[in-house]
């Protein structure tokens, strides 16, 4: 009589702290919008955390007396999480940048305010070596706060800098 095969152990969750995130992403304060990666499945999915505090510089003007995290920054946090996922597959990431190429079907379902912890879940829909399309969802607790399809492309950092208007200003 054949014995059933033992269940394969689940792979350990890949997590990253802020220092490991900063080794992958070029973003820095005040524009680094993810604080921790709590789960990462290579080329498939990432779950990130953003602790939303009153100290965020955008709350000074958005909106005084009724602070709300701008929706575009929630989408940027999704893109940054996707960037971490993409950069984990790139060996020469110091010479690369991940640039937004598109945002589709963005929807904002509830305000995100100081004191909230934003959980950002990003699933890969298409992955082609230097480009990707990802579906992002943001939650506060179990409440859906936002969603969007985000497209991005991996480019050479030097090439991106050469095309920047600042690169040609003083020539």
């Amino acid at each position: 009589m054949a014995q059933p095969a033992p269940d394969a152990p689940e792979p350990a969750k890949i997590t990253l702290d802020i220092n490991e995130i900063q080794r992958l992403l070029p973003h820095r304060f005040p524009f680094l919008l993810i604080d921790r990666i709590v789960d990462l499945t290579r080329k498939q999915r990432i779950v990130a955390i953003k602790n939303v505090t009153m100290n965020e510089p955008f709350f000074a003007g958005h909106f005084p007396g009724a602070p709300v995290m701008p929706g575009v920054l929630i989408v940027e946090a999704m893109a940054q999480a996707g960037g971490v996922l993409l950069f984990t597959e790139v060996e020469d990431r110091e010479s690369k940048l991940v640039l937004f190429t598109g945002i589709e079907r963005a929807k904002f379902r509830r305000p995100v305010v100081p004191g909230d912890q934003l959980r950002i879940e990003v699933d890969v829909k298409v992955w082609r070596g230097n480009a990707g399309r990802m579906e992002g969802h943001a939650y506060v607790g179990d409440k859906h706060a936002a969603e969007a399809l985000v497209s991005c492309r991996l480019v050479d950092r030097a090439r991106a800098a050469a095309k920047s208007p600042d690169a040609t200003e003083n020539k």
Side-chain angles (χ1 to χ4, degrees):
M1 201 177 215
Q3 295 290 333
D7 289 338
E10 279 191 41
K13 278 189 176 182
I14 298 173
T15 62
L16 304 173
D17 65 21
I18 190 66
N19 296 312
E20 293 164 313
I21 292 167
Q22 287 184 317
R23 281 193 276 281
L24 292 168
L25 288 182
H27 304 77
R28 295 295 180 265
F29 179 83
F31 211 68
L32 180 58
L33 297 174
I34 54 177
D35 297 318
R36 177 171 293 280
I37 303 300
V38 294
D39 193 15
L40 185 153
T41 304
R42 291 182 60 205
K43 298 183 183 180
Q44 294 178 19
R45 178 176 169 77
I46 192 165
V47 180
I49 298 296
K50 165 67 177 156
N51 294 306
V52 182
T53 71
M54 191 57 196
N55 296 331
E56 309 287 349
F58 50 80
F59 284 136
H62 199 268
F63 299 98
V68 174
M69 184 173 182
V72 69
L73 295 181
I74 297 170
V75 174
E76 172 65 25
M78 291 176 195
Q80 288 181 18
V84 168
L85 188 61
L86 179 60
F87 267 142
T88 60
E89 302 301 318
V90 176
E91 289 189 24
D92 61 340
R93 61 184 156 262
E94 296 79 22
S95 66
K96 305 287 186 192
L97 287 175
V98 176
L99 300 179
F100 251 143
T101 58
I103 304 167
E104 298 175 48
R105 298 197 298 252
K107 293 190 175 140
F108 306 98
R109 305 199 175 275
R110 71 176 303 278
V112 176
V113 299
D116 285 347
Q117 185 177 71
L118 201 58
R119 187 179 76 254
I120 301 144
E121 301 181 5
V122 178
D123 292 293
V124 172
K125 295 300 179 189
V126 177
W127 188 284
R128 289 195 183 103
N130 69 343
R133 182 183 192 106
M134 296 168 259
E135 182 176 9
H137 293 268
Y139 299 89
V140 175
D142 62 350
K143 293 188 170 106
H144 201 192
E147 63 192 67
L149 281 174
V150 177
S151 301
C152 62
R153 177 170 301 280
L154 192 64
V155 299
D156 288 323
R157 185 183 288 254
R159 195 172 129 219
K163 290 186 177 187
S164 166
D166 294 338
T168 58
E169 265 183 12
N170 296 322
K171 291 188 178 183

